[in-house]
Amino acid sequence: MKFICDVMLGKLGRWLRMMGHDTEIASDELTDRDILNIAEEEGRLVLTRDSDLKKMNSPVEVILLDSRDFEDQLKRVFTELDLDTNFPEGSRCSHCNSELKEVGESEWVCKGCGQEYWKGSHWDRIKEIEKRLENLN
Ligand SMILES: [Zn+2]
């Protein structure tokens, strides 16, 4: 499943990428209609905090998230769509959404922007949140 987040959900979008889900994060120059058009063209589900966007007429599936807290947002999306996490094997670059290439033991480099990832301090935090997500169902 592929996603597009509105600009208010950038943090959620970066977490979805880390957990292996192809997620575009809309820039704030895009209108609600632009976001819906991209979603339709690219087969993405829209995640938004904007109730006006949710009300717009479109064939695209839109999930309206009420919470401001990214972990609550993640839980809602994972529960509603029955998603799995795929960290770190399937992780995508949190900056640009490209796939990562494994270049060593617990070392990856982004195929798009060259960002390097390794088993650092963020690792335990991701694992902790992942565990809470897995225990939801
Ligand atoms: Zn990248």
Side-chain angles (χ1 to χ4, degrees):
M1 193 173 296
K2 298 193 291 182
F3 300 100
I4 182 166
C5 288
D6 72 32
V7 69
M8 288 182 283
L9 293 171
K11 187 168 184 184
L12 172 69
R14 291 191 295 277
W15 276 83
L16 284 169
R17 289 171 175 174
M18 283 188 280
M19 291 177 166
H21 299 286
D22 180 338
T23 307
E24 287 299 326
I25 300 170
S27 76
D28 56 8
E29 285 126 51
L30 296 181
T31 64
D32 290 352
R33 181 52 66 190
D34 292 334
I35 291 174
L36 291 170
N37 288 342
I38 292 168
E40 190 173 358
E41 277 163 26
E42 300 183 2
R44 295 180 184 277
L45 186 153
V46 178
L47 301 171
T48 187
R49 293 211 59 235
D50 179 353
S51 55
D52 291 335
L53 195 161
K54 172 76 178 166
K55 284 180 214 142
M56 286 173 78
N57 187 24
S58 164
V60 173
E61 187 176 353
V62 178
I63 295 182
L64 177 65
L65 298 169
D66 304 316
S67 176
R68 289 174 185 274
D69 177 77
F70 87 93
E71 194 178 334
D72 287 342
Q73 295 163 352
L74 262 182
K75 285 178 179 164
R76 166 88 194 280
V77 174
F78 271 70
T79 312
E80 188 145 333
L81 302 171
D82 201 19
L83 289 186
D84 292 320
T85 70
N86 196 9
F87 171 85
E89 302 79 14
S91 288
R92 305 177 78 92
C93 179
S94 65
H95 300 281
C96 76
N97 193 39
S98 299
E99 290 176 356
L100 305 184
K101 184 173 130 200
E102 193 161 8
V103 290
E105 196 178 331
S106 299
E107 264 185 75
W108 295 264
V109 65
C110 172
K111 291 180 185 173
C113 71
Q115 172 76 33
E116 293 171 15
Y117 292 87
W118 58 92
K119 192 171 174 173
S121 57
H122 66 289
W123 190 280
D124 292 340
R125 171 98 175 113
I126 297 172
K127 281 286 175 197
E128 185 188 311
I129 290 189
E130 189 172 48
K131 191 170 284 176
R132 293 209 286 270
L133 289 169
E134 281 165 354
N135 290 335
L136 286 175
N137 300 319

